[in-house]
Amino acid sequence: MRAIAYKTPQAISAETSLLDVELPVPTPEGRDILVEIKAVSVNPVDTKVRANAKPEPDQLKVLGWDAAGIVKAVGPGVKLFQPGDAVFYAGAIDRPGSNAEFHLVDERIVGKKPETLDFPAAAALPLTSLTAWEALFDRLKVNDPVPGASNAILIIGGAGGVGSIAIQLARALTNLTVIATASRPETQKWAYDLGAHHVLDHSKPLAHQIDQLALGAPAFVFSTTNTADHLDEIIQLIAPQGRFGLIDDPKVLDVMPFKRKAVSIHWELMFTRSLFKTKDMEEQNRILTEVARLIDTGKIRSTLTETLGLINAENLKKAHALIETGRTKGKLVLAGF
């Protein structure tokens, strides 16, 4: 089967940073399903792994943690799917990725594709939807009010992949006032179009902008990017006993200043359930099923913004380079081989 892989971590500008290769088609065992890939999306995690993770000696590493496709075969322990099902999922960080014609994935972290979306639009959703859902409802528990706080959430990086779906989920499933951040006119409009009540400019001090809204201190802050740059502002603006969640990788995170306000801090990594085979691993199947229902009933929409062409090394390089600028909005997708 055709696949895109790398041998050595390199800058995306290197000629061999990603390679078109041929690999054997894998066989499903246990609760794995074999999916014929129709479309994939590219996320910041793809670029971080490519730049830093060294494959085993003489081995190729296949990236890709967002996919939509058709089930071709199932392992003997599979209960949720059968050949012919159209599915979407984000995969597992410790297994080969979806940048290949065929891909093995545990059925417990897979959902049936939304019926109203084509494969590219569906491939844009899984990783960011799972991340946003788990951050909002499993970590921050946003439907559990903070006494005395404004029933509001600040989503830093509202135009990015995770922010784009977090805005929609918060509007569709909570009564929170949704405050997003974006720094350019086009990304600010994007955040408003997705449902944000207010959009702040994260290139300027955030605490002052929150004060100007006259809503009070927000109960929740969800930082999706550049957390280190905004930490002092977050400490200042968040409500006492508020909840702060983050998904990026600040080199240093000094949590001591949060103590005075008794703010709880919550990491979100959507790979945790699959990485540790947690007892609630199948929760990701349930989340994706609910995301598909919300899509099909018109409550939320795909965050696909651009399809870059066929799934090959050349187009994946373009996608990685765009992601690494930190200025994309929504999701980038590749479709077909």
Side-chain angles (χ1 to χ4, degrees), residues 8-156:
T8 305
Q10 298 178 84
I12 195 59
S13 57
E15 184 178 351
T16 56
S17 59
L18 292 170
L19 303 166
D20 291 303
V21 299
E22 287 286 334
L23 297 173
V25 176
T27 301
E29 298 178 353
R31 297 195 68 175
D32 278 351
I33 57 176
L34 179 69
V35 178
E36 181 181 5
I37 299 298
K38 297 297 184 181
V40 298
S41 179
V42 182
N43 295 280
V45 64
D46 296 67
T47 67
K48 293 174 184 177
V49 173
R50 187 214 75 244
N52 297 289
K54 189 175 182 179
E56 294 296 319
D58 300 320
Q59 296 295 311
L60 294 165
K61 189 170 184 66
V62 178
L63 304 173
W65 290 287
D66 254 336
I70 297 173
V71 178
K72 301 302 289 184
V74 301
V78 167
K79 305 172 184 177
L80 304 174
F81 300 98
Q82 59 187 6
D85 285 343
V87 296
F88 72 144
Y89 59 89
I93 193 89
D94 58 343
R95 301 187 67 178
S98 58
N99 292 339
E101 284 187 274
F102 296 94
H103 184 230
L104 287 182
V105 62
D106 190 301
E107 66 165 347
R108 290 170 288 183
I109 59 174
V110 176
K112 288 190 176 179
K113 181 183 75 67
E115 294 180 358
T116 56
L117 295 184
D118 60 13
F119 286 105
L125 286 167
L127 186 146
T128 54
S129 296
L130 288 166
T131 299
W133 186 293
E134 291 181 357
L136 294 174
F137 303 112
D138 295 346
R139 315 294 174 230
L140 294 175
K141 299 188 184 300
V142 296
N143 284 322
D144 182 6
V146 172
S150 174
N151 192 38
I153 184 168
L154 173 64
I155 300 172
I156 297 173

Side-chain angles (χ1 to χ4, degrees), residues 173-209:
L173 300 174
T174 79
N175 61 356
L176 292 167
T177 297
V178 179
I179 308 164
T181 80
S183 60
R184 291 173 283 141
E186 63 268 30
T187 52
Q188 291 170 351
K189 181 180 184 301
W190 172 258
Y192 275 122
D193 289 347
L194 293 173
H197 293 98
H198 306 281
V199 181
L200 311 183
D201 184 347
H202 51 232
S203 70
K204 300 175 181 178
L206 292 173
H208 176 66
Q209 295 176 78

Side-chain angles (χ1 to χ4, degrees), residues 316-334:
L316 270 175
K317 286 180 183 180
K318 294 177 184 176
H320 279 233
L322 287 168
I323 292 289
E324 288 179 350
T325 67
R327 293 176 63 83
T328 57
K329 69 177 183 180
K331 295 299 295 296
L332 304 175
V333 171
L334 286 74

